[in-house]
Amino acid sequence: MANTSPSALPVPSDTGRIALMELRQLQYFVAVAEELNFSRAADRLNMTQPPLSAQIRQLEEELDVALFERTTRKVKLTEAGRHFHKSTQELLSQLDTNIVDARRAAKGEWGRLALGFVPSATIETLPPFLRDFRARFSNVRLDLHELTPEQQVSGLRDGSLDCACFYLPFAEMHPFGDRNLRSAAISSEPLVAALPPGHRLAAQRKIHTGELAEEPFVTVSGHSGQGLREIILEQCRRGGFVPRIVQEAALIQTIAGLVASGVGVALIPASVRRIQKIGVTYRALQNEPLSVEMGLVWMQENNSPVLAGFVDGATRAR
């Protein structure tokens, strides 16, 4: 009966029949080919000589080729044996590589991760973690895509993205509500006020949100940043007013630029202060400013070890 164990390798014969060749037979063959002595090869393989000789004969029968010339004094490779030895060494070497790669892939140390992110994530949150991740997992290919949250969620759903990075929360808000989506916060920072050039409140070290009640507001648009927008509106409500929004923008950097142009004031995450816009003054809020969270979002059904390692590393680094 043919051997059908997992280590059996199918080899087409001259008759078109599929013979089964054991991986261990190849390892035995290489040992004999390198030692050119059955006794020494048996010692090397921690076995006795008779079963080793039997395995080599079985291999030759399966291949229908003589691999060794045997005399009473020596053993030597035939021309076919020399060719088969070279090919078998390459095969076993590649197999070793494949096993190592498979184990690394199972640990999330090998593969690819497609990450979407909002531009403001690169101001402070993502850079240190991405540097650390690339250093620890040099064989993981990171494909980075600058996208709005809406585009990122679409990418998660169609499989073009493995992970997204934008401001939370999102789960209860259209169009991001999806029980198949999971999220984890990776950073938190307070809101600050961004004031245009020459603003009357610029001389104060801190301001109360209520002092902005009569100001025109620039804020993030609904579809591009709902989580952040809701927190900004809640901060205004706590200050006793509903903001008079005169301009919306998809990107935080754009909002800072509009403030610098004198379009209005804005409440933005504190890290945006790193963006140098001529004339913009940033001031802390004195009435218990709300914090905004940057988070990673992914599909629950995505069981990629690379994704699991990425999320775990980001949340640990928080």
Side-chain angles (χ1 to χ4, degrees):
M1 178 180 292
N3 189 331
T4 57
S5 68
S7 61
L9 302 176
V11 180
S13 69
D14 290 340
T15 63
R17 176 179 59 86
I18 299 298
L20 291 173
M21 182 168 54
E22 292 282 358
L23 175 61
R24 63 180 178 178
Q25 288 179 315
L26 299 182
Q27 295 168 330
Y28 294 165
F29 165 73
V30 169
V32 176
E34 291 177 351
E35 297 293 340
L36 292 178
N37 183 288
F38 277 86
S39 179
R40 289 197 301 269
D43 289 342
R44 171 173 158 180
L45 294 166
N46 294 315
M47 62 189 300
T48 59
Q49 182 175 335
L52 174 59
S53 298
Q55 287 290 329
I56 297 301
R57 281 195 301 272
Q58 182 180 341
L59 177 62
E60 290 177 314
E61 289 173 3
E62 290 285 353
L63 295 175
D64 195 22
V65 167
L67 299 174
F68 296 99
E69 292 179 9
R70 303 165 176 85
T71 69
T72 56
R73 293 187 301 173
K74 64 180 181 178
V75 175
K76 62 182 293 188
L77 285 165
T78 63
E79 184 62 31
R82 283 192 291 272
H83 177 77
F84 191 65
H85 180 221
K86 178 181 178 182
S87 300
T88 301
Q89 284 181 312
E90 294 172 353
L91 173 64
L92 295 178
S93 176
Q94 184 60 54
L95 182 59
D96 287 341
T97 300
N98 292 346
I99 291 171
V100 171
D101 288 349
R103 288 172 176 168
R104 296 178 72 176
K107 296 177 181 179
E109 298 174 356
W110 186 281
R112 169 184 172 273
L113 182 83
L115 172 68
F117 62 93
V118 291
S120 51
T122 63
I123 298 173
E124 195 170 87
T125 301
L126 281 181
F129 171 66
L130 289 180
R131 284 195 299 269
D132 179 67
F133 185 83
R134 286 182 184 278
R136 290 168 48 224
F137 302 102
S138 58
N139 288 314
V140 172
R141 173 182 167 185
L142 277 177
D143 292 338
L144 305 177
H145 305 273
E146 183 180 296
L147 301 166
T148 66
E150 189 175 31
Q151 291 170 327
Q152 292 180 59
V153 171
S154 294
L156 293 175
R157 288 173 175 155
D158 67 24
S160 59
L161 292 180
D162 297 298
C163 193
C165 182
F166 50 77
Y167 290 109
L168 302 177
F170 72 95
E172 72 279 16
M173 293 178 286
H174 178 80
F176 299 146
D178 191 325
R179 279 179 286 181
N180 293 320
L181 292 172
R182 291 292 178 265
S183 66
I186 58 174
S187 69
S188 179
E189 56 186 313
L191 289 174
V192 298
L195 308 174
H199 194 274
R200 60 185 175 82
L201 298 175
Q204 299 181 195
R205 189 172 65 87
K206 291 186 176 183
I207 64 174
H208 191 284
T209 309
E211 294 180 275
L212 302 173
E214 303 301 320
E215 300 288 341
F217 262 76
V218 181
T219 190
V220 65
S221 57
H223 288 303
S224 64
Q226 288 193 2
L228 177 58
R229 181 186 177 91
E230 285 300 309
I231 292 173
I232 291 170
L233 294 178
E234 176 61 24
Q235 184 73 60
C236 292
R237 284 192 286 268
R238 293 189 180 191
F241 68 99
V242 175
R244 179 167 58 91
I245 299 173
V246 297
Q247 183 64 53
E248 296 181 345
L251 303 178
I252 299 295
Q253 290 90 327
T254 303
I255 292 174
L258 292 172
V259 172
S261 300
V263 175
V265 302
L267 294 178
I268 55 180
S271 63
V272 181
R273 291 179 294 188
R274 294 178 178 271
I275 301 175
Q276 299 299 317
K277 294 290 184 180
I278 297 176
V280 177
T281 301
Y282 298 103
R283 289 292 179 261
L285 302 176
Q286 63 183 8
N287 56 316
E288 298 183 358
L290 295 174
S291 292
V292 294
E293 291 183 326
M294 185 74 73
L296 297 182
V297 183
W298 64 95
M299 296 297 290
Q300 180 180 7
E301 62 197 33
N302 190 334
N303 58 4
S304 163
V306 174
L307 172 63
F310 185 82
V311 172
D312 181 68
T315 52
R316 288 175 181 272
R318 180 180 178 184

